[in-house]
Amino acid sequence: MSNEPKGKQPTFVSWLAKDSRKAPPAYARRTEFDMGVDDVPIARYTSREFHELEMKRMWSRAWQMACHESNVPDPNDYITYEIGNRSWIVTRQKDGSIKAFANACLHRGMQLVEGSGKLPAFVCPFHGWSWNTDGSNRGVTERWDLPQLKDRDLCLPQAKVATWGGFVFINPDPDAQPFEDYIGDLDEHFVSDPLQNRRVAAHVARVTPANWKVAMEAFIESYHVSPTHPQAVPVSEYPETQYDIYNENVSRLATISIAPVSDVAKAMTDQQFADFGAKSTGREPVRLKPGQSYRSALADERRELVSAALGQSVDHLTDVEMLDAIEYFVFPNFMPWHGYGLQITYRFRPNGDDHESCIMEVYFMLPRNLSEPCPRAPETIWVPEDGTFADIEALGRIGPIFDQDWVNILGVSKGLKSTVKKGLWLSHYQEARIRHYHKRIDAFIAMSDPT
Ligand code: FES
């Protein structure tokens, strides 16, 4: 079965072809794939046993986003990354590199640090053993009484670490494939607008009463947009979204967000459509110059704003990169959006060792002044249990949209526990990214337990 959709045709590539600028070849490439139509077993979301397999065999071996580099800008800065019942200390070294250590004392296992901060050494509060921030042992109290340590490695165990786009990734598996191989040609997609040119303007997190996959899948396709976010429909080609699968770990969706989609809109003059678009999306009205389209006016306006923020011209970026909704996914927990249509990155992961709750995180990634060091990431804003995303000022006009997605997340989480069905019926094309990453989970859990 071909992946070619029989109904609506994706329009991303055709918009790129008529764009005012040329896109990088990797970015403009459309992929062929076939993820099949098999039911996806519901037990993958609800069973404790499946969660334990994921924890033991997948999260212990996959490259995963642990923090942003600006969480640890200076030597001896640290932040913990919690995944399942494991905790890692991510810390900046004197030479500027970053290391990640198992957050557990080598004596009786006491957790060494919590949260984030800056320390000259990691000192265990229980009996006082200590480690330098490069992981080497600094001291064992009452060493005379531990003769068995003579030939032992007293360094803190490390995870592999990589950085990409300003984010820090770790892999607990000492035999993990290099991160560069894991992400394939992702660099080439972001070559015209590297993610490291952004700063974390806000980091919003919410404990979510749903399996991590239920929450993440609420954001991985555009199939849901018309019923869930009807306000976005009048000027957006959501049904014509293009989906791409690049390798076993990386996929993408690409939606044209500013376009005259209805017959009524198509019959409008450029200025009428500009007025309609501004009203529909809550943007400021735009007075078009002769011959100018609403897309080009908005793209030019945004190029000016971004260039001013960066202190560097972005005149080379396509209208698509300035306006539209392009979301990448790097398995299993990193979802950066490309361009300036939506300047966010998502992360989803289990909440501790609970298979029925997860942590949903939104990083607001705004352009940063490139002549200055990247500012330190702000403190995480936690959405209260009885709060809403709309209450979080930092989220701006996107907060109410997350509240619409939240209804779906809670509803699916409840429904999956009460349904009599055994499997999900996913669409062949629009939900192919879901099947794709489930296959990746399968590949990990088909492996034996790590030693
Ligand atoms: Fe850490 Fe004893 S548990 S020094």
Side-chain angles (χ1 to χ4, degrees):
M1 188 181 294
S2 160
N3 79 309
E4 190 67 35
K6 299 290 184 291
K8 303 276 187 176
Q9 293 298 309
T11 52
F12 177 66
V13 167
S14 57
W15 277 101
L16 271 181
K18 61 188 175 193
D19 204 287
S20 61
R21 275 81 167 165
K22 198 166 169 47
Y27 188 72
R29 184 163 64 92
R30 185 171 171 202
T31 59
E32 293 286 329
F33 54 84
D34 180 5
M35 291 292 122
V37 291
D38 290 346
D39 293 5
V40 173
I42 286 170
R44 299 173 74 90
Y45 303 88
T46 56
S47 102
R48 179 72 198 169
E49 292 69 29
F50 194 80
H51 165 80
E52 287 175 2
L53 281 172
E54 286 181 343
M55 295 311 316
K56 206 184 301 180
R57 299 182 179 177
M58 186 276 280
W59 289 101
S60 64
R61 291 188 173 107
W63 281 102
Q64 53 211 273
M65 191 261 274
C67 65
H68 192 262
E69 283 203 65
S70 63
N71 287 119
V72 287
D74 300 321
N76 295 349
D77 286 344
Y78 74 89
I79 187 167
T80 56
Y81 169 64
E82 321 286 339
I83 181 66
N85 54 20
R86 301 183 76 175
S87 175
W88 297 91
I89 310 168
V90 181
T91 181
R92 180 76 68 173
Q93 303 296 294
K94 288 191 178 65
D95 66 359
S97 65
I98 294 173
K99 290 187 174 180
F101 303 109
N103 187 9
C105 178
L106 296 190
H107 178 217
R108 281 167 60 184
M110 177 87 179
Q111 184 167 294
L112 291 171
V113 293
E114 284 185 353
S116 60
K118 186 186 196 75
L119 287 170
F122 304 123
V123 181
C124 179
F126 199 167
H127 308 93
W129 293 25
S130 61
W131 285 267
N132 299 305
T133 55
D134 66 359
S136 60
N137 184 259
R138 196 181 75 153
V140 172
T141 51
E142 314 290 351
R143 174 80 181 243
W144 59 270
D145 203 19
L146 293 130
Q148 73 274 32
L149 298 187
K150 184 168 167 287
D151 298 319
R152 299 291 177 94
D153 179 1
L154 297 183
C155 295
L156 290 174
Q158 293 187 40
K160 288 189 155 197
V161 173
T163 57
W164 185 86
F167 287 88
V168 181
F169 297 79
I170 69 159
N171 194 320
D173 180 3
D175 300 319
Q177 72 181 126
F179 182 75
E180 296 69 30
D181 296 346
Y182 190 89
I183 61 171
D185 69 351
L186 191 63
D187 262 340
E188 293 173 36
H189 292 252
F190 284 76
V191 69
S192 60
D193 184 38
L195 210 51
Q196 54 267 37
N197 289 357
R198 313 286 181 102
R199 63 188 169 89
V200 181
H203 175 209
V204 177
R206 186 166 194 180
V207 174
T208 305
N211 181 271
W212 69 279
K213 299 185 294 298
V214 169
M216 195 263 281
E217 288 172 18
F219 300 91
I220 205 170
E221 39 80 6
S222 294
Y223 186 22
H224 74 286
V225 172
S226 295
T228 300
H229 311 296
Q231 75 280 7
V233 170
V235 295
S236 302
E237 297 185 334
Y238 283 99
E240 293 85 5
T241 294
Q242 177 176 314
Y243 299 88
D244 288 296
I245 290 174
Y246 294 105
N247 62 37
E248 56 189 359
N249 301 309
V250 181
S251 65
R252 176 181 75 174
L253 71 73
T255 303
I256 298 300
S257 303
I258 304 288
V261 294
S262 66
D263 289 341
V264 175
K266 281 175 186 155
M268 291 175 180
T269 64
D270 285 338
Q271 186 60 56
Q272 285 169 333
F273 179 65
D275 295 341
F276 174 69
K279 196 171 169 194
S280 302
T281 60
R283 291 184 171 91
E284 290 294 313
V286 176
R287 178 58 39 197
L288 300 182
K289 296 175 194 156
Q292 197 176 32
S293 70
Y294 186 42
R295 272 184 74 81
S296 64
L298 279 185
D300 287 345
E301 179 185 273
R302 202 162 286 173
R303 275 189 201 93
E304 274 184 34
L305 289 172
V306 173
S307 297
L310 289 171
Q312 180 177 294
S313 171
V314 292
D315 192 56
H316 59 289
L317 294 183
T318 58
D319 294 350
V320 162
E321 288 165 299
M322 302 315 298
L323 299 177
D324 298 314
I326 321 293
E327 179 207 67
Y328 284 78
F329 175 45
V330 180
F331 178 86
N333 76 343
F334 183 52
M335 294 180 96
W337 291 69
H338 182 268
Y340 297 89
L342 275 172
Q343 302 178 62
I344 51 180
T345 289
Y346 298 134
R347 178 170 71 172
F348 299 89
R349 59 191 158 125
N351 178 28
D353 196 28
D354 184 3
H355 68 290
E356 295 185 329
S357 74
C358 67
I359 300 172
M360 168 183 167
E361 291 162 274
V362 182
Y363 295 78
F364 243 113
M365 305 299 302
L366 299 185
R368 67 181 181 87
N369 185 335
L370 296 176
S371 64
E372 296 173 0
C374 184
R376 184 179 285 273
E379 291 290 312
T380 304
I381 301 167
W382 288 88
V383 182
E385 191 177 343
D386 58 353
T388 67
F389 289 101
D391 295 336
I392 307 299
E393 205 178 322
L395 290 175
R397 66 189 176 100
I398 207 170
I401 298 172
F402 289 139
D403 287 324
Q404 293 173 321
D405 293 306
W406 183 255
V407 173
N408 292 344
I409 294 168
L410 300 196
V412 170
S413 189
K414 285 180 184 164
L416 289 181
K417 289 174 194 153
S418 67
T419 182
V420 296
K421 282 182 71 194
K422 296 284 184 248
L424 302 181
W425 298 334
L426 300 183
S427 56
H428 179 235
Y429 181 65
Q430 297 176 87
E431 293 171 308
R433 294 172 86 206
I434 297 177
R435 294 180 196 286
H436 172 246
Y437 94 87
H438 276 272
K439 287 181 194 294
R440 190 62 175 128
I441 293 176
D442 285 342
F444 277 109
I445 65 177
M447 301 165 83
S448 55
D449 288 347
T451 52

